[in-house]
Amino acid sequence: MRKRIVSAWGVALICFIVLMIVTPTIPQSQEYHNFADQRTFFGIPNALNVISNFPFLVVGLIGLILCYHGNYFKLSLQGELWGWTCFYLGVAAVGVGSSYYHLKPDDATLVWDRLPMTIAFTSIIAIFIIERIDERKGMISIVPLILAGIISIVYWRFFDDLRPYALVQFVPCIAMPLMAILLPPMYTHSTYWLWAAGFYLLAKVLEATDDVVYKWTHHIVSGHTLKHLFAAMVPIFLTFMLAKRSLEEDRQSLLKTWRISWTKIKEGDSSVESFTYSRVQVEEPQ
């Protein structure tokens, strides 16, 4: 097993090195810091972009408390506890780091916005490995994954190259819904993962349309402010999932569940059509 783990990390490292060789560098655009809504309220510069990070801090702290208060989330594995602890620590830190960044947006403060996000992203991958593949492998992967996220930020800051950070951010966005659909879950309420992924996708769209949304709303709220609120729905939905779920007795993937449901629907439609056809034949005058 240890050899397979080493081999997997080796393959991942080789793929990363090849990617770094064949793709051009991605420097940090300084236009990124030029947000649409730069209004000052109550002496707070860029006020709405600062204040809209508050939900991250609240949800992160609530999640941390519930992880340890009487095992409210009923986490059955030690690795799960560590993974969710790292996740909620990252979420709470996003509330602080992103607010700090938006007070004075530049590359130096952006570090403290992105660093906690990478902790949250990488923790999610480790949690999926623990729940759906193997607890030991997932637990071992927590530290290397978080370190990979931190290194991606350090690399960007020193070499002005966003490629490693882009991988850390977007690989979980692809891996999370795929793993949620294809791999059998340990717990019920697995569809909450897809809701979380959907809200994060909407958040990225709002981030890309910051100025457009600001104009559409007649300068009431910007896309970036809404991006914070939609992104905060990710840990909120995952917290609801943890509170409601229970151990899954019949472990089957969402894909298999959907196939079974679709088959039953088709069989139901066929039965209804057959019943209707028979009634029509019976009721026809002789």
Side-chain angles (χ1 to χ4, degrees), residues 4 17 39 46 57 63 70 86 88 92 135 160 186 220 224 230 244-245 248 257 267 271:
R4 280 184 289 177
I17 292 171
R39 292 173 295 177
N46 310 307
L57 179 61
C86 292
Y88 280 116
E135 179 195 2
D160 194 24
M186 181 186 294
I220 295 173
H224 201 87
F230 274 76
K244 296 178 68 174
R245 73 184 188 175
E248 180 68 80
T257 302
E267 289 175 351
S271 300

Side-chain angles (χ1 to χ4, degrees), residues 25-40:
T25 60
I26 306 175
Q28 176 64 59
S29 170
Q30 294 308 299
E31 280 298 310
Y32 178 84
H33 307 303
N34 187 27
F35 298 102
D37 187 357
Q38 300 182 13
R39 292 173 295 177
T40 298

Side-chain angles (χ1 to χ4, degrees), residues 41-60:
F41 295 128
F42 309 109
I44 304 173
N46 310 307
L48 291 185
N49 283 343
V50 172
I51 296 169
S52 57
N53 284 290
F54 184 66
F56 289 108
L57 179 61
V58 174
V59 178

Side-chain angles (χ1 to χ4, degrees), residues 28-264:
Q28 176 64 59
S29 170
Q30 294 308 299
E31 280 298 310
Y32 178 84
H33 307 303
N34 187 27
F35 298 102
D37 187 357
Q38 300 182 13
R39 292 173 295 177
T40 298
F41 295 128
F42 309 109
I44 304 173
N46 310 307
L48 291 185
N49 283 343
V50 172
I51 296 169
S52 57
N53 284 290
F54 184 66
F56 289 108
L57 179 61
V58 174
V59 178
L61 292 177
I62 289 174
L64 281 172
I65 292 170
L66 295 181
C67 277
Y68 290 91
H69 181 68
N71 194 19
Y72 181 81
F73 288 147
K74 300 180 178 66
L75 301 174
S76 57
L77 304 173
Q78 185 64 42
E80 286 184 289
L81 182 60
W82 292 357
W84 284 110
T85 297
C86 292
F87 172 74
Y88 280 116
L89 280 172
V91 170
V94 167
V96 177
S98 186
S99 295
Y100 174 65
Y101 162 63
H102 282 287
L103 287 171
K104 186 184 176 184
D106 58 28
D107 285 0
T109 55
L110 184 57
V111 171
W112 304 108
D113 180 15
R114 286 178 170 167
L115 190 59
M117 281 196 288
T118 62
I119 294 173
F121 291 143
T122 51
S123 298
I124 285 293
I125 294 296
I127 288 166
F128 261 103
I129 296 171
I130 290 167
E131 289 186 3
R132 298 177 185 243
I133 298 176
D134 182 82
E135 179 195 2
R136 186 170 176 274
K137 291 178 182 177
M139 195 159 60
I140 292 172
S141 71
I142 292 174
V143 174
L145 284 170
I146 291 175
L147 281 176
I150 294 171
I151 290 169
S152 74
I153 298 296
V154 174
Y155 183 88
W156 155 62
R157 193 70 184 99
F158 278 91
F159 298 101
D160 194 24
D161 185 1
L162 287 169
R163 285 178 297 171
Y165 173 73
L167 281 175
V168 169
Q169 185 177 30
F170 289 109
V171 165
C173 298
I174 298 170
M176 188 176 82
L178 284 177
M179 293 172 79
I181 292 170
L182 299 176
L183 298 180
M186 181 186 294
Y187 299 98
T188 60
H189 294 82
S190 190
T191 52
Y192 277 68
W193 286 108
L194 300 183
W195 281 103
F199 272 106
Y200 188 75
L201 177 61
L202 286 173
K204 299 306 291 182
V205 171
L206 288 165
E207 181 182 33
T209 56
D210 182 31
D211 189 59
V212 173
V213 172
Y214 195 49
K215 290 175 181 176
W216 281 355
T217 60
H218 300 285
H219 295 182
I220 295 173
V221 65
S222 70
H224 201 87
T225 296
L226 291 177
K227 174 245 184 177
H228 290 159
L229 299 178
F230 274 76
M233 293 300 295
V234 174
I236 288 173
F237 262 83
L238 295 183
T239 302
F240 284 144
M241 178 192 72
L242 289 172
K244 296 178 68 174
R245 73 184 188 175
S246 57
L247 285 172
E248 180 68 80
E249 295 180 3
D250 182 22
R251 294 188 64 172
Q252 59 184 19
S253 67
L254 280 176
L255 182 62
K256 186 176 180 181
T257 302
W258 292 341
R259 282 177 175 171
I260 293 171
S261 299
W262 177 244
T263 302
K264 288 180 179 178

